[in-house]
Amino acid sequence: MHDQLRANTSLAAMTYEQMLERVRYEGAYPTRARAEESVHAVLAALGRRLTGDERVDLAQSLPVEAALPLTAQVPSAEQLSGWGFVKDLASRTGGAAATARWDAGAVLKIVAELAGPDLLARVLRQLPDGYALLFGQVELRRPQPVA
């Protein structure tokens, strides 16, 4: 998998260093190291939620160094809402939910740009409600069947 990701590095719209600087700016992090911690934690958490072609295609849209934490995770069978994702991220990083929400937004906004609208739409269709806002997108209510 690592070799496959390396072969697709040229498809990424930015380098890992550029991605970290964008995340640092979006998250108003004081250091590049703090931005990198967020990137790794958020992408690992997302890697536990995604499966199939969306997971592979998203990894290919990222710089290799960012794709590795995403693909290193075994997807969980447990479905988490967007808020559940934030709470899980907070518990795994030992931080507050507000900090985890901030980190998720800073990282996933850049991931959304790298993925592009078509892939992002596929990723959001795979995830439960509540993730669109984390990616900086408007979340439309899914139609409910009439009873």
Side-chain angles (χ1 to χ4, degrees), residues 44-86:
L46 186 60
R48 288 187 289 277
R49 303 290 142 226
L50 288 179
T51 61
D53 290 341
E54 289 75 19
R55 178 185 171 101
V56 172
D57 293 347
L58 184 61
Q60 289 178 342
S61 72
L62 300 173
V64 172
E65 301 90 340
L68 291 175
L70 177 85
T71 58
Q73 302 302 310
V74 175
S76 173
E78 179 185 16
Q79 291 285 319
L80 294 178
S81 67
W83 178 239
F85 175 85
V86 169

Side-chain angles (χ1 to χ4, degrees), residues 57-58 61-62 110-121 123 135:
D57 293 347
L58 184 61
S61 72
L62 300 173
I110 305 307
V111 168
E113 291 174 16
L114 288 168
D118 294 338
L119 176 54
L120 181 60
V123 166
F135 283 92

Side-chain angles (χ1 to χ4, degrees), residues 9 12-23 32-33 35-40 43 62-69 110 114:
T9 302
M14 64 180 71
T15 67
Y16 183 62
E17 289 73 25
Q18 290 169 328
M19 181 183 183
L20 289 179
E21 283 305 313
R22 291 284 311 280
V23 169
R32 181 174 173 227
E36 190 167 24
E37 286 173 17
S38 294
V39 167
H40 280 266
L43 290 177
L62 300 173
V64 172
E65 301 90 340
L68 291 175
I110 305 307
L114 288 168

Side-chain angles (χ1 to χ4, degrees), residues 64-139:
V64 172
E65 301 90 340
L68 291 175
L70 177 85
T71 58
Q73 302 302 310
V74 175
S76 173
E78 179 185 16
Q79 291 285 319
L80 294 178
S81 67
W83 178 239
F85 175 85
V86 169
K87 291 190 305 187
D88 181 61
L89 180 60
S91 72
R92 289 176 185 272
T93 60
T99 303
R101 169 60 181 96
W102 185 269
D103 291 346
V107 173
L108 295 178
K109 180 176 190 282
I110 305 307
V111 168
E113 291 174 16
L114 288 168
D118 294 338
L119 176 54
L120 181 60
R122 289 177 31 221
V123 166
L124 290 174
R125 277 193 298 272
Q126 186 182 115
L127 297 168
D129 288 340
Y131 282 83
L133 293 173
L134 297 175
F135 283 92
Q137 305 295 304
V138 174
E139 178 136 26

